[in-house]
Amino acid sequence: MSKVIIIGAGGVANVVAKKCAQNDSVFTEVLIATRTVAKADKIVAEIKEHMPDSKAVFTTATVDADNVPELVKLINDFGPKMVINVALPYQDLTIMDACLETGVHYLDTANYEPKDVAKFEYSWQWAYQDRFKEKGLMALLGCGFDPGATQAFTAHHAKHHFQEIHYLDIVDCNNGNHGKAFATNFNPEINIREITANGRYWENGQWVETQPLEISQDIYYPKVATRKSFVLYHEELESLVKHFPTIKRARFWMTFGEAYIKHLNVLEGIGMTSIEPIDFRGMKVAPIEFLKAVLPAPESLAAGYSGQTCIGVQAKGIGKDGQPKVHFVYNVKDHADCYREVQAQGVSYTTGVPAMIGAMLMLQGEWMQPGVWNVEQLDPDPFFDAMNKWGLPISELADIELVKD
Ligand code: NDP
């Protein structure tokens, strides 16, 4: 039915490509374009080896996604209906510009972040609203798991369970073990920038700032474990409090093990997580970019990764019957199952599957509408059906408060 371009060939792109290969009645021709084309070639070779029955036709190309003219040429040569951007947040705006110029739809999994300022927010991408609307094009922002599925979970709470949501807690537990002393589960540079930044949550109409990892609580993750979890700022909080103005408090919690925090503290203490370039043998090098080169690539963690992820959203407020209510919506995914299915670890898998689903719902017309959209603005029902079908089954838990005030 549709031609698409996937930009990037890292851990998440590997999953998006393989789920497109499984869903070959929707994704008939796929071009994987990235900086290091050998990584795209490897993904295509694995698809041929592990999914010989897929009718989707895959090709690869080299592209510098920071360069708009290069992107425009790539898109014009291939002629896709949409671009799935799973490169890095730094490339969001150049890829959106190229989509506008060539008249194709756009989807990504993380909001724009300038490379030289550790700051991410939707303002840059929301500013494209009129241009996408005028051209009759859709841009779907942040359609991974968190952001992404977590916003569909919130929309589901609002549509099916609550008159008013007052308290929202997004919880993200990785209870997996990859056997390495220190590694990040997705792009190290982006991940470390997120965790070492100050925490922030929404309360009574304003943002409350915390020190990094200052607030913690033991949270029970159903079917997985009770784990110490920390408040950190996550991008979907910004759009959720905008689109659900009844929310009085919104927080995001993530688990980190003691060893992880110890390594991070040391790396930060000696300046290795800094984005400020230093002079090294006549070159300018940002320590965090050097650190990324030293750490294991996220996709290399997949073989032998054990344990599960559990990501969910707890809502508290006034239920549809007018009574106080608490409700939890979540998914549990096993790392080893992900590896068996698409040679990936759970964090890449839980991001890549919603990206494929978002693209499918756009291409099939269920979600397609001109403008720039966040996931919670769209109907969660077809997304839930597709999550259950494509490997991320959703569970619900009523009347138990997992995250305390
Ligand atoms: P990786 O670092 O594994 O992969 C990124 C890919 O993008 C690499 O193949 C890289 O190329 C390519 N790339 C980087 N810069 C350019 C460029 N200028 N031109 C072309 N290609 C480029 O990251 P992940 O796969 O782990 O993450 C991908 C995205 O998903 C990130 O934006 C991340 O923030 C997001 N994410 C979202 C989550 C969610 O739940 N919403 C969760 C996890 C991640 P090269 O191989 O040469 O380095």
Side-chain angles (χ1 to χ4, degrees):
M1 187 180 106
S2 295
K3 281 170 115 173
V4 301
I5 295 182
I6 297 171
I7 300 190
V12 177
N14 169 56
V15 176
V16 177
K18 287 173 182 169
K19 295 309 276 193
C20 289
Q22 287 177 3
N23 194 357
D24 57 1
S25 61
V26 172
F27 301 94
T28 42
E29 282 181 63
V30 180
L31 170 65
I32 309 175
T34 191
R35 186 167 52 191
T36 313
V37 76
K39 290 194 189 172
D41 291 338
K42 180 167 179 280
I43 295 172
V44 175
E46 286 178 3
I47 289 171
K48 289 202 172 116
E49 183 189 342
H50 297 287
M51 303 172 172
D53 296 333
S54 172
K55 292 187 183 58
V57 177
F58 280 82
T59 45
T60 63
T62 307
V63 75
D64 174 4
D66 292 318
N67 182 319
V68 178
E70 230 182 87
L71 285 165
V72 166
K73 182 170 182 331
L74 179 93
I75 296 171
N76 281 334
D77 286 352
F78 187 67
K81 264 203 165 150
M82 70 178 293
V83 169
I84 302 173
N85 167 18
V86 278
L88 296 180
Y90 314 134
Q91 281 84 47
D92 288 1
L93 302 187
T94 45
I95 298 176
M96 287 176 86
D97 285 335
C99 284
L100 278 173
E101 202 171 323
T102 52
V104 307
H105 306 288
Y106 171 89
L107 176 149
D108 68 32
T109 64
N111 69 9
Y112 175 68
E113 183 171 347
K115 207 166 171 47
D116 52 354
V117 192
K119 174 181 175 166
F120 50 90
E121 60 180 41
Y122 281 115
S123 61
W124 287 288
Q125 290 180 279
W126 283 341
Y128 281 68
Q129 181 65 263
D130 292 346
R131 279 172 282 167
F132 270 79
K133 264 207 178 120
E134 278 158 21
K135 290 239 170 177
L137 295 173
M138 177 169 184
L140 179 54
L141 308 183
C143 194
F145 208 109
D146 45 344
T150 51
Q151 288 137 288
F153 288 5
T154 308
H156 171 90
H157 279 303
K159 183 172 177 182
H160 296 291
H161 298 293
F162 288 87
Q163 274 177 25
E164 277 190 16
I165 298 174
H166 293 162
Y167 301 100
L168 195 77
D169 285 288
I170 303 172
V171 294
D172 179 338
C173 167
N174 180 7
N175 199 43
N177 180 7
H178 47 56
K180 302 273 193 297
F182 181 79
T184 63
N185 294 292
F186 66 96
N187 183 277
E189 206 180 318
I190 304 297
N191 190 210
I192 290 172
R193 277 164 67 128
E194 177 176 274
I195 295 160
T196 54
N198 281 346
R200 207 184 327 160
Y201 62 95
W202 181 258
E203 193 163 43
N204 297 326
Q206 59 186 10
W207 294 108
V208 180
E209 191 139 320
T210 72
Q211 290 300 303
L213 311 186
E214 182 187 331
I215 299 177
S216 67
Q217 155 175 170
D218 285 336
I219 295 174
Y220 171 62
Y221 293 87
K223 304 177 196 164
V224 176
T226 297
R227 289 283 310 268
K228 190 168 185 184
S229 310
F230 299 82
V231 165
L232 52 95
Y233 180 62
H234 226 240
E235 65 192 58
E236 65 265 49
L237 294 176
E238 184 187 6
S239 68
L240 285 168
V241 299
K242 176 178 170 186
H243 295 129
F244 296 99
T246 60
I247 292 177
K248 296 178 184 170
R249 188 190 61 216
R251 300 177 295 192
F252 183 97
W253 303 80
M254 193 178 266
T255 57
F256 298 105
E258 268 174 35
Y260 184 93
I261 294 173
K262 197 155 93 187
H263 278 84
L264 199 62
N265 283 342
V266 172
L267 291 168
E268 202 176 7
I270 59 173
M272 280 305 295
T273 61
S274 169
I275 63 170
E276 285 302 320
I278 56 153
D279 285 314
F280 180 71
R281 295 186 177 165
M283 281 190 322
K284 289 266 184 215
V285 184
I288 197 165
E289 285 183 35
F290 178 76
L291 178 62
K292 173 180 184 275
V294 175
L295 291 175
E299 64 270 22
S300 73
L301 305 173
Y305 211 134
S306 60
Q308 287 101 22
T309 62
C310 174
I311 315 174
V313 179
Q314 173 178 295
K316 255 171 74 174
I318 309 296
K320 292 281 184 207
D321 59 0
Q323 298 301 311
K325 183 180 177 77
V326 56
H327 199 82
F328 186 59
V329 179
Y330 66 105
N331 162 263
V332 171
K333 193 67 197 172
D334 187 82
H335 285 287
D337 283 349
C338 300
Y339 188 68
R340 270 190 293 277
E341 187 192 326
V342 291
Q343 303 80 50
Q345 36 94 347
V347 177
S348 306
Y349 189 95
T350 53
T351 309
V353 172
M356 180 282 285
I357 290 172
M360 174 183 79
L361 294 177
M362 287 169 67
L363 294 168
Q364 290 179 330
E366 271 158 304
W367 272 7
M368 189 64 94
Q369 46 197 322
V372 175
W373 300 93
N374 294 95
V375 173
E376 70 271 22
Q377 296 176 280
L378 306 167
D379 184 1
D381 293 352
F383 182 84
F384 269 52
D385 292 343
M387 290 279 277
N388 288 324
K389 176 174 177 188
W390 290 104
L392 293 175
I394 297 168
S395 304
E396 305 198 26
L397 210 56
D399 305 325
I400 296 175
E401 195 170 352
L402 300 175
V403 189
K404 306 285 185 280
D405 283 341

